[in-house]
Amino acid sequence: MTTLTKRNRRAEAPAERWSNAEEKEEKTDGTDEEQDTDSKSLRLTLMEEILLLGLKDKEGYTSFWNDSISSGLRGCILIELALRGRIQLEPQSSRKRKLLDRKVLVKSSAPTGDVLLDEALKHIKNTEPPEDVSSWIELLTGETWNPLKLHFQMRNVRERLAKSLVEKGVLSTEKQNFLLFDMTTHPLTDSSEKQRLVQRLQDSLLERWTNDWRRMSRRMLALILLAHAADVLENTLSSLSDERYDTASTRSRSLLEADPDLESAKVTTPGEEMIWTVLAAFNRS
């Protein structure tokens, strides 16, 4: 996973939102970007948004050099489940434990309507004893030496997310020949969705910057941290002028370099707690 650098390339851009009962975890606070999102925006999950930010627009695939996006997408799944009220960390005990020492518990096993989320939720529900966040990211990614736990790996996640975006009219499906093999690719067809997503993320670090994450949309806070974990944040900011890029980079680093255990003392919801726990897991990896 790379860090934000001085400057180098280009960028892109777009969208989010979704279902009402599950938005209870997402209460607004007057500066919530989601309230101001164009009404034409699709309801994309965090996983879809991160994949969209990572895809090359014309080529329709993620960079071959990005080895962080797979684990980043698993982090998205855990945060999405927490924001939808399905999972949470086990309660703190009298002896204060660090975020990564607390196990993930199922709060509600009600289906989310999303195949990937429901698959992960089923794994978490059926696992005894429960695992912590770092373990779940590794297990869902398939990074385990325990052959008895290989069945937790979620396969073809990028392809399944891309097909969902095809169904939503954001991507298309093509076949490309790479000398030795053919590969299914998913070029961008609706550039407005990506543009809106990139614009919202950039605005959250510039015009809408609050200097206090508690005044940010929870989903936007998660999106910034997950974009960094999946190594797609720098590209998202690279279309900015040098001065605005430096400002946005500095502000994003103020979030990324915060101590998750200290910030978790300020949380008001299980969803916020999960956001900081996932960041702690990626910081440790």
Side-chain angles (χ1 to χ4, degrees), residues 179-219:
L179 296 179
L180 299 177
F181 61 94
D182 289 333
M183 187 173 85
T184 301
T185 61
H186 299 283
L188 191 67
T189 55
D190 184 356
S191 61
S192 63
E193 280 301 318
K194 188 166 185 176
Q195 288 164 3
R196 279 194 289 265
L197 177 58
V198 169
Q199 189 64 56
R200 281 192 307 104
L201 193 151
Q202 291 177 351
D203 286 350
S204 71
L205 294 169
L206 294 166
E207 286 78 11
R208 291 179 178 271
W209 178 248
T210 67
N211 210 30
D212 182 355
W213 66 262
R214 290 171 293 184
R215 296 173 58 200
M216 295 178 72
S217 154
R218 295 186 187 105
R219 294 185 66 77

Side-chain angles (χ1 to χ4, degrees), residues 72-134:
L73 289 172
R74 274 59 174 192
C76 290
I77 289 172
L78 294 178
I79 292 178
E80 188 79 61
L81 285 170
L83 290 176
R84 296 189 182 207
R86 299 310 195 274
I87 62 173
Q88 63 184 18
L89 294 184
E90 63 181 336
Q92 245 327 346
S93 61
S94 54
R95 288 180 59 195
K96 270 259 189 195
R97 289 171 297 168
K98 289 185 174 294
L99 292 171
L100 294 179
D101 293 333
R102 295 161 62 190
K103 308 301 184 183
V104 178
L105 304 179
V106 172
K107 185 178 178 183
S108 167
S109 58
T112 65
D114 181 281
V115 176
L116 285 173
L117 293 178
D118 289 342
E119 181 180 333
L121 182 61
K122 183 178 179 181
H123 284 318
I124 297 170
K125 179 185 176 184
N126 294 336
T127 299
E128 285 295 338
E131 303 278 359
D132 57 41
V133 166
S134 290

